[in-house]
Amino acid sequence: MHRGADPYDPYSHSGMAPQFDGPLGGMAAAAARQGSTPSIEITEMSDEVLKFTLTNCHDSMANALRRIMLADVPTLAIDLVTVEENEGALHDEYLAHRLGLLPIDSRHVAEYRRRQECSCAESCVHCTVQYDLDITNSGADQRCDDSGDLPVYHTDIQPGQEGADVPMPVQPGQDEHGGILLTKLAKNQRIKLHLTAIKGSGRVHAKWMPVQTACFRRDPIITVDPDRMQAAPLDHKLRIAAACPTKVFRVDEEQEEGGTFIVEKPQQCMFCDECTMAAEELGYRDLVAAREDQHKVHFTIESTGAMPAVMILKKAMEILSGKVNELREKLKEIQMEQGGEGAEGMREGMDLDHDIIPDELMLP
């Protein structure tokens, strides 16, 4: 089948689309058009933040990783708050909501079962974690502020069950003010709560999300016709540069007669096409344009503190690999039911294990 030439598609100039057999041929073709095998380069890594670049990565894979980190990587979070006494200013529901959003150390979340999957009658150490919060402002605590109010932090929460390895609420980053502020108690006020945390994921409620941010962007490729731009009057160059809301361009009025149009901050491009439209309004077609580099994806992950950012990425990779394997098995079952037609084509057309989760992306 012939199709029109696409300057960004290496196959379009041949006039013939590459052929891939099997039910996943479309994804295989997309992977082939991306170029070589995907690879990963970590550019910044700490417990809270992970930045990395995926090269030769298809949009579907990048977005699948992002969505899995948001919705499918499990953590622990407080799900039930039993209020025995609350004399503070915050209502029970408001206080319970704040407690539910506390990040809990979930590095060993795999050791816990989801509540609905546990065989216990109500709760046990395999599916729940118990905590107690019992604090009274007697007026003698050194943490009391000038007005006599006692701040209550996440560090005041104590384990409600025996064991040395009870996962506790944590605070991401440096602890500057004693912890995450939950409420304040006036003199002689008391709160006594019993807290129950369970395993869950972000698709059920945001409190189980392990990330504050999981996003990606592509590099901009900005093209300018140098001869036509240099021949344009100075006021036209200034109008095109001023049209960019993120100040990607600059005009050096002193370097040459008529000024020099400079692409100064390409990474700030937001692909709004304001520069292109401004040039077209002045009568210049295809003078300046911005498009996405289809071969690189820059990821940024910010952890809530429940687990290190690199662990979130590893778990997302494992979940994505499991989903791909499940899809492959389902496809095999369907093909076997239909008499095996196309089964060989699927394997020839695309290696799911390698093309979607290549070895280079499987972190140690």
Side-chain angles (χ1 to χ4, degrees):
M1 179 183 296
H2 291 272
R3 56 181 181 176
D6 182 349
Y8 308 136
D9 189 340
Y11 291 97
S12 63
H13 298 284
S14 66
M16 182 67 70
Q19 299 299 315
F20 293 88
D21 297 327
L24 295 180
M27 292 183 66
R33 285 196 294 270
Q34 287 293 328
S36 59
T37 303
S39 61
I40 186 171
E41 177 187 0
I42 295 178
T43 56
E44 180 182 338
M45 183 170 65
S46 65
D47 285 345
E48 291 80 31
V49 179
L50 176 66
K51 295 183 179 181
F52 60 95
T53 300
L54 291 179
T55 305
N56 297 317
C57 173
H58 193 262
D59 282 343
S60 59
M61 176 179 163
N63 197 46
L65 273 178
R66 183 188 69 86
R67 291 178 64 89
I68 287 173
M69 285 186 278
L70 291 171
D72 289 336
V73 175
T75 63
L76 296 170
I78 294 172
D79 188 60
L80 178 64
V81 177
T82 303
V83 181
E84 296 188 19
E85 190 171 354
N86 179 17
E87 298 175 342
L90 295 184
H91 294 290
D92 296 351
E93 295 83 359
Y94 193 83
L95 187 57
H97 179 70
R98 291 182 64 82
L99 289 165
L101 294 177
L102 284 177
I104 296 177
D105 184 359
S106 301
R107 290 173 296 174
H108 303 289
V109 68
E111 299 176 2
Y112 292 88
R113 304 167 189 161
R114 295 182 185 269
R115 182 66 192 87
Q116 61 271 24
E117 298 172 355
C118 191
S119 58
C120 66
E122 185 174 351
S123 65
C124 67
V125 294
H126 301 294
C127 65
T128 59
V129 185
Q130 307 294 335
Y131 305 100
D132 290 317
L133 178 58
D134 186 358
I135 186 168
T136 303
N137 182 5
S138 62
D141 197 306
Q142 295 182 352
R143 294 186 303 174
C144 291
D145 56 25
D146 295 338
S147 61
D149 293 338
L150 175 66
V152 180
Y153 296 108
H154 79 282
T155 51
D156 293 313
I157 297 175
Q158 301 299 320
Q161 62 188 46
E162 296 181 356
D165 299 325
V166 178
M168 298 298 295
V170 294
Q171 179 183 16
Q174 296 182 351
D175 190 346
E176 299 179 356
H177 304 289
I180 301 174
L181 181 64
L182 301 176
T183 185
K184 288 187 177 183
L185 299 177
K187 188 174 181 179
N188 297 325
Q189 287 185 342
R190 179 191 184 191
I191 56 173
K192 184 178 181 182
L193 313 174
H194 183 69
L195 319 173
T196 302
I198 63 173
K199 181 179 180 179
S201 55
R203 67 173 60 250
V204 177
H205 193 283
K207 64 185 177 183
W208 280 294
M209 287 173 52
V211 293
Q212 302 181 64
T213 297
C215 59
F216 66 87
R217 63 175 179 84
R218 290 196 179 273
D219 274 339
I221 298 178
I222 300 174
T223 56
V224 179
D225 188 326
D227 296 332
R228 295 170 61 205
M229 181 62 78
Q230 189 58 38
L234 176 60
D235 61 324
H236 287 188
K237 296 175 185 176
L238 292 173
R239 286 179 61 180
I240 295 172
C244 178
T246 56
K247 309 302 179 186
V248 171
F249 309 106
R250 179 175 65 87
V251 178
D252 189 342
E253 302 182 37
E254 300 178 357
Q255 188 171 347
E256 294 184 17
E257 184 179 354
T260 301
F261 191 85
I262 301 172
V263 182
E264 188 173 49
K265 302 175 181 178
Q267 295 301 324
Q268 294 186 8
C269 179
M270 54 189 290
F271 307 104
C272 63
D273 289 335
E274 290 292 336
C275 57
T276 302
M277 291 187 289
E280 290 178 350
E281 289 177 359
L282 294 171
Y284 302 101
R285 186 174 179 82
D286 299 328
L287 178 64
V288 57
R291 61 182 176 87
E292 293 182 341
D293 183 351
Q294 297 298 318
H295 298 283
K296 280 188 178 181
V297 176
H298 300 285
F299 256 96
T300 299
I301 304 172
E302 295 183 12
S303 171
T304 61
M307 61 180 68
V310 69
M311 182 178 290
I312 298 172
L313 176 60
K314 289 180 180 179
K315 289 184 177 294
M317 291 286 190
E318 293 170 0
I319 293 172
L320 178 56
S321 180
K323 289 179 179 289
V324 170
N325 289 333
E326 182 180 359
L327 173 62
R328 182 180 60 191
E329 295 303 320
K330 292 294 183 183
L331 288 174
K332 284 184 178 180
E333 292 177 7
I334 295 174
Q335 289 162 350
M336 293 300 294
E337 292 175 359
Q338 296 177 351
E341 296 181 1
E344 295 181 359
M346 181 186 71
R347 298 304 300 168
E348 294 175 0
M350 185 176 190
D351 185 345
L352 289 175
D353 291 334
H354 181 266
D355 289 344
I356 295 185
I357 310 293
D359 294 338
E360 289 82 351
L361 297 186
M362 298 308 293
L363 300 179

